[in-house]
């Protein structure tokens, strides 16, 4: 081992800090690979094997050894891991994300069982979670269904605390994630029609057609009105999810599948909106995420107040660079660089590795740090966004520094937890040069 301890080599050391001492007593050393510049996850087939194993695990965990039947899917399990067989809830977004994982795993491995799981999941969403509004010529998606024996109750408005009794844009957005990725695999025209009719919902009701532009975050479930007083704190609001989540959830994949200019135009519109309104660098190293109708800052909303979600900043960076591969704009690169340069110091653990969750956007005058809002834990999806951001930034801009971050972040996550959306960042760090 002594021969492996060369200067500048990246490694993890586990041990003990002693009080009132500069001594760190190392007990265990973990190397990234056998050679100084070797990282195990850069082997040609490493990610493919990981995604294959994850896909097989999900199929076994959800469906056992029986035929794949999404009636057996459960959003929640009991404390002991048991699934209810009589009364249970199935949430649209969680099924859609699982379907996205299966479709992506099929793209990476060619395993037919993953394609079967993606197709059956998409069909289940279409049969049970989709509502076709013929009067408005739109499609929208239920929040969930409650199953009681042989009966099924549709839950239209969201029952999540932040969005209660409203139709949040992000739920409609993520309902398309799995089906559109499946469409890339199968070319099923019914899926494309669902997407087209859901985008009509966005353009007809969520889109702000005034001089302000952008997409509202919530609709009243009765009148489909974003300005209804019944929405309370969500009345006439806009946020990161309603503007920025279209691209990574479904819109980039929809353009890749079709090559249609209208989807490229919608992508450009959302990214131009982000670049124009989200930066707030005169006040904070973090972007602003919540807005009133006129794009003035909403710093008192619910749990967010004037707080930053680290992963949302990183998510903006990698999505800007993907968009830049489709339509190059210097302002996209400038903002992506700004975020990527600022985030390590204010959003990551510089000693142990990994990325934090939610922090105060403004500095605390006493500590000089952006304080943690609730805890210092590192949510899995924040790590996912960091991996995506720095792998894409490093590859697109040929930057050694971004590449370094892109290599170190997967190691932290490998040593900690394997629960990010399987395959999500494998396909998404590929450039958007053409729909093929």
């Amino acid at each position: 081992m002594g021969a492996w301890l060369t200067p500048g080599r990246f490694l993890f050391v586990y041990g003990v800090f002693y009080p009132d001492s500069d001594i760190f007593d190392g007990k265990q050393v973990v190397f990234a690979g056998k050679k100084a510049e070797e990282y195990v996850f850069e082997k040609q087939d490493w990610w493919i094997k990981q995604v294959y194993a994850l896909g097989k695990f999900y199929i076994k965990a959800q469906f056992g050894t029986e035929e794949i039947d999404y009636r057996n899917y459960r959003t929640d399990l009991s404390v002991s891991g048991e699934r209810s067989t009589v009364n249970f809830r199935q949430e649209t977004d969680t099924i859609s994300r699982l379907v996205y994982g299966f479709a992506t795993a099929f793209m990476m491995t060619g395993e037919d069982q993953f394609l079967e799981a993606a197709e059956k999941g998409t069909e289940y969403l279409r049969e049970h979670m989709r509502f076709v509004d013929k009067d408005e010529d739109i499609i929208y998606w239920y929040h969930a269904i409650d199953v009681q024996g042989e009966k099924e109750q549709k839950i239209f408005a969201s029952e999540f605390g932040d969005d209660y009794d409203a139709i949040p844009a992000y739920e409609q957005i993520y309902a398309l994630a799995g089906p559109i990725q499946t469409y890339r695999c199968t070319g099923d025209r019914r899926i494309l029609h669902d997407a087209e009719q859901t985008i009509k919902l966005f353009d007809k009701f969520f889109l702000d057609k005034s001089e302000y532009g952008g997409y509202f975050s919530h609709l009243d479930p009765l009148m489909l009105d974003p300005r209804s007083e019944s929405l309370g704190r969500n009345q006439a609001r806009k946020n990161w999810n309603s503007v920025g989540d279209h691209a990574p959830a479904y819109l980039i994949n929809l353009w890749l599948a079709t090559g249609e200019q209208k989807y490229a135009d919608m992508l450009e519109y959302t990214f131009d909106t982000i670049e124009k309104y989200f930066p707030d660098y005169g006040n904070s190293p973090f972007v602003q995420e919540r807005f009133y109708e006129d794009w003035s800052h909403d710093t008192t909303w619910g749990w967010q107040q004037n707080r930053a979600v680290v992963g949302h900043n990183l998510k903006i960076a990698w999505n800007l660079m993907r968009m830049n591969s489709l339509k190059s704009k210097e302002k996209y690169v400038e903002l992506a660089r700004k975020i990527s340069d600022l985030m390590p110091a204010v959003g990551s653990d510089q000693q142990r590795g990994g990325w934090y969750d939610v922090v105060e956007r403004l500095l605390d005058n006493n500590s000089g740090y952006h304080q943690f809002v609730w805890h210092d834990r590192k949510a899995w999806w924040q790590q996912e966004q960091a991996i995506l951001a720095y792998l894409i930034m490093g590859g697109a801009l040929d930057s050694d520094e971004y590449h370094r971050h892109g290599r170190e972040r997967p190691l932290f996550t490998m040593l900690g937890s394997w629960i990010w959306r399987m395959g999500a960042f494998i396909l998404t760090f590929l450039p958007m040069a053409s729909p093929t």
Side-chain angles (χ1 to χ4, degrees), residues 12-127:
F12 288 90
V13 181
Y14 294 84
V16 180
F17 282 102
Y18 290 96
D20 304 318
S21 171
D22 294 331
I23 294 175
F24 176 72
D25 187 8
K27 300 296 185 183
Q28 181 183 5
V29 179
V30 179
F31 293 92
K34 292 183 178 180
K35 299 177 181 178
E37 285 299 311
E38 181 180 66
Y39 289 73
V40 63
F41 57 82
E42 292 181 345
K43 293 181 179 178
Q44 185 272 332
D45 60 348
W46 196 87
W47 292 112
I48 296 171
K49 290 180 177 178
Q50 295 296 320
V51 168
Y52 182 88
L54 279 168
K56 289 294 186 180
F57 166 78
Y58 278 128
I59 287 175
K60 182 179 180 181
Q62 287 292 349
F63 312 115
T65 58
E66 301 173 0
E67 181 182 357
I68 294 173
D69 182 353
Y70 276 79
R71 198 58 151 190
N72 296 323
Y73 170 85
R74 298 291 182 272
T75 301
D76 296 308
L77 301 175
S78 71
V79 174
S80 62
E82 298 296 321
R83 64 180 68 198
S84 171
T85 58
V86 181
N87 300 319
F88 54 91
R89 170 166 291 191
Q90 294 180 320
E91 292 171 1
T92 302
D93 285 1
T94 54
I95 292 180
S96 182
R97 286 181 168 102
L98 181 64
V99 170
Y100 175 92
F102 284 134
T104 304
F106 169 72
M107 290 181 176
M108 294 176 61
T109 66
E111 172 60 45
D112 287 340
Q113 191 178 34
F114 297 154
L115 179 60
E116 178 189 359
E119 289 187 287
K120 286 186 174 179
T122 298
E123 198 62 30
Y124 193 82
L125 287 167
R126 297 187 75 249
E127 290 180 2

Side-chain angles (χ1 to χ4, degrees), residues 184-208:
R184 291 183 65 188
C185 301
T186 66
D188 187 336
R189 301 292 295 182
R190 299 176 304 156
I191 301 174
L192 179 59
H193 180 261
D194 289 344
E196 292 170 340
Q197 297 303 99
T198 308
I199 291 174
K200 279 189 178 181
L201 166 72
F202 295 134
D203 290 343
K204 195 169 186 177
F205 296 104
F206 283 100
L207 181 65
D208 185 354

Side-chain angles (χ1 to χ4, degrees), residues 242-263:
S242 66
V243 178
D245 264 348
H246 292 273
Y250 74 91
L251 193 53
I252 286 176
N253 289 325
L254 186 56
W255 182 82
L256 288 169
T258 64
E260 291 196 27
Q261 186 60 39
K262 60 183 178 181
Y263 301 131

Side-chain angles (χ1 to χ4, degrees), residues 348-415:
S348 73
D349 186 335
Q350 299 286 287
Q351 177 178 320
R352 303 168 188 83
W355 294 78
Y356 295 118
D357 188 12
V358 181
V359 299
E360 299 291 345
R361 292 186 67 253
L362 303 180
L363 279 174
D364 175 73
N365 291 330
N366 296 320
S367 69
Y369 293 96
H370 294 271
Q371 291 187 311
F372 304 122
V373 173
W374 302 296
H375 53 69
D376 64 350
R377 296 191 294 273
K378 300 157 187 174
W380 65 269
W381 77 271
Q382 310 283 359
Q383 319 314 312
E384 174 195 1
Q385 300 307 322
I387 294 168
L388 280 159
Y390 289 103
L391 284 178
I392 292 172
M393 294 293 294
L397 300 176
D398 195 23
S399 164
D400 290 340
E401 180 65 11
Y402 296 151
H403 189 212
R404 179 178 69 82
H405 285 299
R407 295 175 111 188
E408 293 176 2
R409 292 336 179 209
L411 285 171
F412 170 82
T413 310
M414 285 164 54
L415 293 170

Side-chain angles (χ1 to χ4, degrees), residues 257-274:
T258 64
E260 291 196 27
Q261 186 60 39
K262 60 183 178 181
Y263 301 131
D265 292 342
M266 185 177 175
L267 282 166
E268 184 179 6
Y269 176 75
T270 58
F271 284 111
D272 285 349
T273 302
I274 291 168

